[in-house]
Amino acid sequence: MSGLLANFTVRRSDTFEVQIELSIAAGTTVALLGPNAAGKSTVVDTIAGLLRVEEGTVRLDGRILDEPESDTFIPAELRDVGVVFQDYLLFPNMTVIENIAFGLRSHRTPHSEALDTAREWIARMGLAGVENQLPGTISGGQAQRVALARALICRPALLLLDEPLSALDVTTRGDLQAELKEHLEEFSGPRLLITHDPREAFLFADEIHILEEGIVTQTGDANDIKLRPETRYAADIGGGWAVN
């Protein structure tokens, strides 16, 4: 099967666990939408390989990434997953172009080739003129573009975006929404967007999974959530009334 299949349980404490079942086909964007402390970042960390599954499996294009039953665990650096974290995690002592080229360099791409490819992404992302600056000297919108370029430059099989616009001010966030949507649509693999903002989920996602207290409480497209909410939280974000 091509795409992502994630069906697992991760226990974070004696009183809290996350149970998730996701199937994302290539070329499809799924949003995991929920309030703070719902378990969204746990899902990202597990799929990325930063946490291990307690029960179940994570598969990408048919390859098992994590499955306790078969004693399989592929470390994060070997998973072919591109991740854009909430605070971007850019290397502060590397220039913009070095940050973008980092993924290729970590895969032992020759330095000159990695920089040439990074320059292509700099042009594509509208970062010309800041390529030799350090991350602390560029704007939040530019930092978001750098993080996205760094995630995409290695042509990953899966793209994970953990609250990719939440660190931006309202004006910059609005300006970048259309740009991010375009980049997502150009990426041919499965895309998983983690967000607490229903507007982002409605704008970007083909399918939305609502996560509350570690459990998916509703799955559907934007109209399903808006018109047929199944929980109070879904009703609140959709502007309607819960049916249960």
Side-chain angles (χ1 to χ4, degrees), residues 75-152:
E77 64 271 17
L78 300 178
R79 289 202 172 193
D80 198 16
V81 175
V83 186
V84 178
F85 291 102
Q86 182 173 352
D87 55 2
Y88 308 140
L89 297 182
L90 300 179
F91 300 109
N93 296 322
M94 289 185 181
T95 63
V96 165
I97 191 170
E98 289 169 339
N99 264 279
I100 294 173
F102 176 80
L104 292 176
R105 295 288 294 132
S106 66
H107 286 83
R108 299 184 180 180
T109 301
H111 187 253
S112 60
E113 181 181 339
L115 289 180
D116 286 343
T117 305
R119 290 187 186 97
E120 295 174 6
W121 280 95
I122 284 168
R124 184 175 179 179
M125 292 290 184
L127 292 167
V130 301
E131 58 264 44
N132 295 317
Q133 293 182 217
L134 296 175
T137 68
I138 62 178
S139 70
Q142 289 169 331
Q144 193 271 347
R145 293 186 181 102
V146 173
L148 184 59
R150 187 177 64 180
L152 292 173

Side-chain angles (χ1 to χ4, degrees), residues 9-203:
T9 298
V10 176
R11 295 182 181 87
R12 300 310 309 269
S13 70
D14 291 338
T15 59
F16 184 75
E17 68 178 23
V18 176
Q19 298 177 344
I20 198 76
E21 184 174 350
L22 291 172
S23 179
I24 310 177
T28 301
T29 301
V30 167
L32 193 62
L33 172 66
N36 293 333
K40 302 188 299 299
S41 291
T42 296
V43 174
V44 171
D45 290 347
T46 304
I47 295 173
L50 304 178
L51 288 175
R52 299 195 68 164
V53 168
E54 301 278 349
E55 301 171 5
T57 186
V58 178
R59 298 173 183 247
L60 181 57
D61 293 338
R63 178 192 184 202
I64 299 175
L65 302 182
D66 193 350
E67 188 177 69
E69 185 177 350
S70 62
D71 195 26
T72 302
F73 178 77
I74 306 299
E77 64 271 17
L78 300 178
R79 289 202 172 193
D80 198 16
V81 175
V83 186
V84 178
F85 291 102
Q86 182 173 352
D87 55 2
Y88 308 140
L89 297 182
L90 300 179
F91 300 109
N93 296 322
M94 289 185 181
T95 63
V96 165
I97 191 170
E98 289 169 339
N99 264 279
I100 294 173
F102 176 80
L104 292 176
R105 295 288 294 132
S106 66
H107 286 83
R108 299 184 180 180
T109 301
H111 187 253
S112 60
E113 181 181 339
L115 289 180
D116 286 343
T117 305
R119 290 187 186 97
E120 295 174 6
W121 280 95
I122 284 168
R124 184 175 179 179
M125 292 290 184
L127 292 167
V130 301
E131 58 264 44
N132 295 317
Q133 293 182 217
L134 296 175
T137 68
I138 62 178
S139 70
Q142 289 169 331
Q144 193 271 347
R145 293 186 181 102
V146 173
L148 184 59
R150 187 177 64 180
L152 292 173
I153 194 170
C154 292
R155 301 185 181 278
L158 167 69
L159 182 62
L160 297 178
L161 301 106
D162 187 5
E163 304 276 6
L165 301 179
S166 64
L168 304 175
D169 61 69
V170 174
T171 301
T172 305
R173 188 183 309 147
D175 291 342
L176 285 180
Q177 282 179 341
E179 185 178 322
L180 179 57
K181 183 175 177 63
E182 180 180 343
H183 288 304
L184 287 178
E185 291 173 348
E186 290 175 352
F187 178 71
S188 60
R191 291 95 59 158
L192 177 59
L193 169 70
I194 307 299
T195 184
H196 69 277
D197 188 338
R199 294 167 297 182
E200 290 181 6
F202 296 155
L203 174 64

Side-chain angles (χ1 to χ4, degrees), residues 212 216-219 224-225 227-236 240-244:
E212 301 179 66
V216 173
T217 57
Q218 186 170 356
T219 299
D224 291 329
I225 306 301
L227 301 178
R228 292 174 289 277
E230 296 182 6
T231 68
R232 173 55 57 184
Y233 172 77
D236 289 343
W241 297 95
V243 297
N244 295 328

